[in-house]
Amino acid sequence: MSRAGSPIRVVHVGKFYPPVAGGMERVVESLCEGTADAVESGVIAFNTGRATVREERHGVAVTRVGTIGAAGSVPIAPGLAAELRRARGDVMVVHEPNPWALLALAVTRPTLPIVVWFHSEVVRPRLQYQLFYHPMVRRVYDRAARIVVSSPLLAEHAAALAPYRERTRVIPFGIDPERWVATAAVRARAAEIRAAAGPTPLVLFAGRMVPYKGVDVLLRALAGLDVSAVLVGDGPSRGSWTTLAGALGLGSRVRFAGEVPHEELAALYHACDLFVLPSVTRAEAFGYVQLEAMACAKPVVSTRLPSGVPWVNRHGETGLTVPPGDVDSLRRAIVELAGDESLRRRFGHAGRVRVETAFTLAIMRSAAAAVYREAVS
């Protein structure tokens, strides 16, 4: 146990950890870095190779547990249970969904108080969920001192959390707004991007190229519109979506940019006229990229999922929301914003203010530290 006045020692159990890319990975990194005065963080995550590696990254002790393969998207790491058993600290934060970690915790039952950070629901066939995942969830969640979600809507709609309402706390994800301020270099690059796009409005998407992101819906909505688009990210669906763009006649107006460094992404945010997140399932629990676009004072078009996505992007205030999977509604929203510069400016300004007042790293880290203290006490 930490002495009075000393930092709380937190062991984060994640899936992977940067430089491996991913939404969960980015959140865990944000929680760990820059908090040593109140929280001393360590990480146990999976390695992408067979060896277990111990290292320090930006002042954070990271153990990457060797994996021998994967079952679907689930890494298999026989050594994880032993690492959890050896973990020392005041509280263990388990980032979910993470099936192998739940299995390891169910087997080892570590003595540290547990906080479950519930990033998103597990979207699996009902029978598969009931037979395999649900029993592990119950064993670990029943022991959890607190469960954290990123939005009130996720707390309300996630069925797995129904028995644990009294222990659930809402901590919105946060970013550093200053990281998205346009430097001279970013402004220059944004001007180049605008010039290449020509006079037509520029639409931006950023995210993993996986089915639930709904990029196919976006491409169909763009067909026939006098706009250009840049799609940032990579993943298993990129090839089929590139083919679809060609079949829809969008080849000359839609650019698949792949993964890009931070400076290029910042330039794209500042160059675009609007940002679109067309996700189609509740696997999109929050829409972290919405914060980045809003920090750059850009209006957002996103979907009314039963998750935190429409809570982050307020319809009629910071952007527009449409039904998921509805091509016509998405097209109308894009047309409305593309054709109204004053509306874009109003939504963009409101988005920047919303990020600065509700979604900063400082707010997220302070709320997390309070939950850790609750769990310890």
mmCIF file of all heavy atoms in Angstrom, residues 102-125:
data_model
loop_
_atom_site.group_PDB
_atom_site.id
_atom_site.type_symbol
_atom_site.label_atom_id
_atom_site.label_comp_id
_atom_site.label_asym_id
_atom_site.label_seq_id
_atom_site.Cartn_x
_atom_site.Cartn_y
_atom_site.Cartn_z
ATOM 1 N N LEU A 102 -8.971 -11.598 -18.986
ATOM 2 C CA LEU A 102 -10.031 -12.040 -18.081
ATOM 3 C C LEU A 102 -9.821 -13.482 -17.664
ATOM 4 O O LEU A 102 -10.007 -13.846 -16.487
ATOM 5 C CB LEU A 102 -11.405 -11.886 -18.744
ATOM 6 C CG LEU A 102 -11.932 -10.474 -18.969
ATOM 7 C CD1 LEU A 102 -13.380 -10.542 -19.443
ATOM 8 C CD2 LEU A 102 -11.823 -9.622 -17.715
ATOM 9 N N LEU A 103 -9.433 -14.334 -18.615
ATOM 10 C CA LEU A 103 -9.171 -15.730 -18.285
ATOM 11 C C LEU A 103 -8.027 -15.838 -17.289
ATOM 12 O O LEU A 103 -8.119 -16.579 -16.289
ATOM 13 C CB LEU A 103 -8.835 -16.511 -19.560
ATOM 14 C CG LEU A 103 -8.455 -17.976 -19.386
ATOM 15 C CD1 LEU A 103 -9.613 -18.748 -18.755
ATOM 16 C CD2 LEU A 103 -8.058 -18.593 -20.731
ATOM 17 N N ALA A 104 -6.944 -15.082 -17.521
ATOM 18 C CA ALA A 104 -5.801 -15.123 -16.612
ATOM 19 C C ALA A 104 -6.176 -14.619 -15.230
ATOM 20 O O ALA A 104 -5.757 -15.182 -14.205
ATOM 21 C CB ALA A 104 -4.652 -14.307 -17.192
ATOM 22 N N LEU A 105 -6.990 -13.586 -15.160
ATOM 23 C CA LEU A 105 -7.418 -13.059 -13.860
ATOM 24 C C LEU A 105 -8.331 -14.035 -13.137
ATOM 25 O O LEU A 105 -8.258 -14.183 -11.913
ATOM 26 C CB LEU A 105 -8.141 -11.729 -14.065
ATOM 27 C CG LEU A 105 -7.248 -10.533 -14.364
ATOM 28 C CD1 LEU A 105 -8.076 -9.364 -14.876
ATOM 29 C CD2 LEU A 105 -6.470 -10.116 -13.126
ATOM 30 N N ALA A 106 -9.194 -14.700 -13.885
ATOM 31 C CA ALA A 106 -10.085 -15.687 -13.271
ATOM 32 C C ALA A 106 -9.295 -16.839 -12.670
ATOM 33 O O ALA A 106 -9.678 -17.408 -11.640
ATOM 34 C CB ALA A 106 -11.074 -16.203 -14.310
ATOM 35 N N VAL A 107 -8.174 -17.176 -13.301
ATOM 36 C CA VAL A 107 -7.337 -18.278 -12.818
ATOM 37 C C VAL A 107 -6.493 -17.848 -11.627
ATOM 38 O O VAL A 107 -6.368 -18.571 -10.634
ATOM 39 C CB VAL A 107 -6.438 -18.801 -13.953
ATOM 40 C CG1 VAL A 107 -5.399 -19.779 -13.418
ATOM 41 C CG2 VAL A 107 -7.282 -19.458 -15.040
ATOM 42 N N THR A 108 -5.888 -16.637 -11.698
ATOM 43 C CA THR A 108 -4.913 -16.239 -10.677
ATOM 44 C C THR A 108 -5.546 -15.569 -9.468
ATOM 45 O O THR A 108 -5.014 -15.645 -8.364
ATOM 46 C CB THR A 108 -3.888 -15.267 -11.279
ATOM 47 O OG1 THR A 108 -4.566 -14.106 -11.772
ATOM 48 C CG2 THR A 108 -3.127 -15.916 -12.412
ATOM 49 N N ARG A 109 -6.666 -14.851 -9.685
ATOM 50 C CA ARG A 109 -7.311 -14.095 -8.615
ATOM 51 C C ARG A 109 -6.286 -13.293 -7.796
ATOM 52 O O ARG A 109 -6.075 -13.553 -6.609
ATOM 53 C CB ARG A 109 -8.108 -15.023 -7.697
ATOM 54 C CG ARG A 109 -9.254 -15.712 -8.385
ATOM 55 C CD ARG A 109 -10.067 -16.552 -7.409
ATOM 56 N NE ARG A 109 -10.694 -15.739 -6.366
ATOM 57 C CZ ARG A 109 -11.838 -15.084 -6.513
ATOM 58 N NH1 ARG A 109 -12.478 -15.135 -7.667
ATOM 59 N NH2 ARG A 109 -12.340 -14.379 -5.519
ATOM 60 N N PRO A 110 -5.630 -12.282 -8.402
ATOM 61 C CA PRO A 110 -4.655 -11.471 -7.669
ATOM 62 C C PRO A 110 -5.300 -10.736 -6.514
ATOM 63 O O PRO A 110 -6.510 -10.469 -6.504
ATOM 64 C CB PRO A 110 -4.147 -10.489 -8.740
ATOM 65 C CG PRO A 110 -5.203 -10.468 -9.779
ATOM 66 C CD PRO A 110 -5.815 -11.821 -9.788
ATOM 67 N N THR A 111 -4.492 -10.417 -5.504
ATOM 68 C CA THR A 111 -5.026 -9.805 -4.282
ATOM 69 C C THR A 111 -5.256 -8.305 -4.421
ATOM 70 O O THR A 111 -5.916 -7.709 -3.563
ATOM 71 C CB THR A 111 -4.058 -10.051 -3.115
ATOM 72 O OG1 THR A 111 -2.768 -9.507 -3.449
ATOM 73 C CG2 THR A 111 -3.931 -11.551 -2.832
ATOM 74 N N LEU A 112 -4.725 -7.685 -5.467
ATOM 75 C CA LEU A 112 -4.910 -6.240 -5.632
ATOM 76 C C LEU A 112 -6.379 -5.915 -5.915
ATOM 77 O O LEU A 112 -7.077 -6.677 -6.585
ATOM 78 C CB LEU A 112 -4.075 -5.719 -6.802
ATOM 79 C CG LEU A 112 -2.556 -5.884 -6.742
ATOM 80 C CD1 LEU A 112 -1.928 -5.234 -7.970
ATOM 81 C CD2 LEU A 112 -2.006 -5.274 -5.482
ATOM 82 N N PRO A 113 -6.857 -4.768 -5.405
ATOM 83 C CA PRO A 113 -8.191 -4.313 -5.827
ATOM 84 C C PRO A 113 -8.213 -4.132 -7.346
ATOM 85 O O PRO A 113 -7.213 -3.725 -7.947
ATOM 86 C CB PRO A 113 -8.355 -2.969 -5.112
ATOM 87 C CG PRO A 113 -7.352 -2.971 -4.017
ATOM 88 C CD PRO A 113 -6.217 -3.829 -4.474
ATOM 89 N N ILE A 114 -9.352 -4.413 -7.959
ATOM 90 C CA ILE A 114 -9.465 -4.363 -9.417
ATOM 91 C C ILE A 114 -10.410 -3.244 -9.839
ATOM 92 O O ILE A 114 -11.497 -3.076 -9.267
ATOM 93 C CB ILE A 114 -9.958 -5.705 -9.977
ATOM 94 C CG1 ILE A 114 -8.865 -6.769 -9.829
ATOM 95 C CG2 ILE A 114 -10.367 -5.583 -11.447
ATOM 96 C CD1 ILE A 114 -9.310 -8.149 -10.267
ATOM 97 N N VAL A 115 -9.974 -2.479 -10.841
ATOM 98 C CA VAL A 115 -10.840 -1.551 -11.555
ATOM 99 C C VAL A 115 -10.919 -2.049 -12.991
ATOM 100 O O VAL A 115 -9.901 -2.324 -13.617
ATOM 101 C CB VAL A 115 -10.283 -0.111 -11.540
ATOM 102 C CG1 VAL A 115 -11.091 0.789 -12.477
ATOM 103 C CG2 VAL A 115 -10.289 0.452 -10.124
ATOM 104 N N VAL A 116 -12.130 -2.221 -13.498
ATOM 105 C CA VAL A 116 -12.325 -2.592 -14.900
ATOM 106 C C VAL A 116 -12.590 -1.324 -15.698
ATOM 107 O O VAL A 116 -13.520 -0.575 -15.381
ATOM 108 C CB VAL A 116 -13.500 -3.580 -15.072
ATOM 109 C CG1 VAL A 116 -13.817 -3.776 -16.558
ATOM 110 C CG2 VAL A 116 -13.171 -4.916 -14.420
ATOM 111 N N TRP A 117 -11.752 -1.062 -16.697
ATOM 112 C CA TRP A 117 -11.989 0.068 -17.602
ATOM 113 C C TRP A 117 -12.654 -0.503 -18.850
ATOM 114 O O TRP A 117 -12.033 -1.134 -19.666
ATOM 115 C CB TRP A 117 -10.687 0.772 -17.955
ATOM 116 C CG TRP A 117 -10.917 2.182 -18.440
ATOM 117 C CD1 TRP A 117 -11.620 2.552 -19.544
ATOM 118 C CD2 TRP A 117 -10.469 3.392 -17.821
ATOM 119 N NE1 TRP A 117 -11.639 3.920 -19.668
ATOM 120 C CE2 TRP A 117 -10.942 4.464 -18.623
ATOM 121 C CE3 TRP A 117 -9.716 3.672 -16.689
ATOM 122 C CZ2 TRP A 117 -10.667 5.803 -18.313
ATOM 123 C CZ3 TRP A 117 -9.457 4.996 -16.375
ATOM 124 C CH2 TRP A 117 -9.926 6.044 -17.185
ATOM 125 N N PHE A 118 -13.955 -0.264 -18.969
ATOM 126 C CA PHE A 118 -14.797 -0.879 -19.991
ATOM 127 C C PHE A 118 -14.807 0.027 -21.223
ATOM 128 O O PHE A 118 -15.547 1.000 -21.294
ATOM 129 C CB PHE A 118 -16.206 -1.062 -19.422
ATOM 130 C CG PHE A 118 -17.167 -1.836 -20.280
ATOM 131 C CD1 PHE A 118 -17.271 -3.214 -20.163
ATOM 132 C CD2 PHE A 118 -17.979 -1.189 -21.189
ATOM 133 C CE1 PHE A 118 -18.186 -3.925 -20.932
ATOM 134 C CE2 PHE A 118 -18.891 -1.882 -21.970
ATOM 135 C CZ PHE A 118 -18.983 -3.266 -21.834
ATOM 136 N N HIS A 119 -13.971 -0.287 -22.209
ATOM 137 C CA HIS A 119 -13.830 0.569 -23.387
ATOM 138 C C HIS A 119 -14.984 0.400 -24.369
ATOM 139 O O HIS A 119 -15.418 1.378 -24.973
ATOM 140 C CB HIS A 119 -12.512 0.258 -24.105
ATOM 141 C CG HIS A 119 -11.303 0.713 -23.344
ATOM 142 N ND1 HIS A 119 -10.534 1.781 -23.738
ATOM 143 C CD2 HIS A 119 -10.724 0.235 -22.206
ATOM 144 C CE1 HIS A 119 -9.538 1.947 -22.883
ATOM 145 N NE2 HIS A 119 -9.629 1.018 -21.940
ATOM 146 N N SER A 120 -15.433 -0.826 -24.557
ATOM 147 C CA SER A 120 -16.514 -1.053 -25.515
ATOM 148 C C SER A 120 -17.139 -2.410 -25.256
ATOM 149 O O SER A 120 -16.563 -3.268 -24.581
ATOM 150 C CB SER A 120 -16.001 -0.994 -26.959
ATOM 151 O OG SER A 120 -15.103 -2.054 -27.228
ATOM 152 N N GLU A 121 -18.339 -2.592 -25.803
ATOM 153 C CA GLU A 121 -19.006 -3.882 -25.704
ATOM 154 C C GLU A 121 -18.349 -4.893 -26.631
ATOM 155 O O GLU A 121 -17.725 -4.543 -27.637
ATOM 156 C CB GLU A 121 -20.480 -3.748 -26.078
ATOM 157 C CG GLU A 121 -21.295 -2.957 -25.077
ATOM 158 C CD GLU A 121 -22.769 -3.011 -25.403
ATOM 159 O OE1 GLU A 121 -23.422 -3.994 -25.009
ATOM 160 O OE2 GLU A 121 -23.263 -2.069 -26.047
ATOM 161 N N VAL A 122 -18.522 -6.159 -26.288
ATOM 162 C CA VAL A 122 -18.060 -7.248 -27.141
ATOM 163 C C VAL A 122 -19.204 -7.604 -28.084
ATOM 164 O O VAL A 122 -20.259 -8.049 -27.652
ATOM 165 C CB VAL A 122 -17.654 -8.476 -26.305
ATOM 166 C CG1 VAL A 122 -17.246 -9.626 -27.209
ATOM 167 C CG2 VAL A 122 -16.510 -8.116 -25.360
ATOM 168 N N VAL A 123 -18.986 -7.359 -29.364
ATOM 169 C CA VAL A 123 -20.025 -7.640 -30.358
ATOM 170 C C VAL A 123 -19.743 -9.010 -30.955
ATOM 171 O O VAL A 123 -18.993 -9.171 -31.903
ATOM 172 C CB VAL A 123 -20.063 -6.556 -31.447
ATOM 173 C CG1 VAL A 123 -21.184 -6.820 -32.432
ATOM 174 C CG2 VAL A 123 -20.228 -5.179 -30.809
ATOM 175 N N ARG A 124 -20.358 -10.037 -30.354
ATOM 176 C CA ARG A 124 -20.180 -11.417 -30.793
ATOM 177 C C ARG A 124 -21.551 -12.082 -30.887
ATOM 178 O O ARG A 124 -22.508 -11.604 -30.292
ATOM 179 C CB ARG A 124 -19.317 -12.204 -29.787
ATOM 180 C CG ARG A 124 -17.836 -11.888 -29.846
ATOM 181 C CD ARG A 124 -17.058 -12.921 -29.028
ATOM 182 N NE ARG A 124 -15.622 -12.742 -29.177
ATOM 183 C CZ ARG A 124 -14.873 -11.988 -28.399
ATOM 184 N NH1 ARG A 124 -15.441 -11.346 -27.401
ATOM 185 N NH2 ARG A 124 -13.572 -11.872 -28.593
ATOM 186 N N PRO A 125 -21.641 -13.188 -31.623
ATOM 187 C CA PRO A 125 -22.905 -13.932 -31.626
ATOM 188 C C PRO A 125 -23.345 -14.248 -30.200
ATOM 189 O O PRO A 125 -22.524 -14.566 -29.340
ATOM 190 C CB PRO A 125 -22.556 -15.208 -32.409
ATOM 191 C CG PRO A 125 -21.429 -14.797 -33.301
ATOM 192 C CD PRO A 125 -20.635 -13.808 -32.505
#
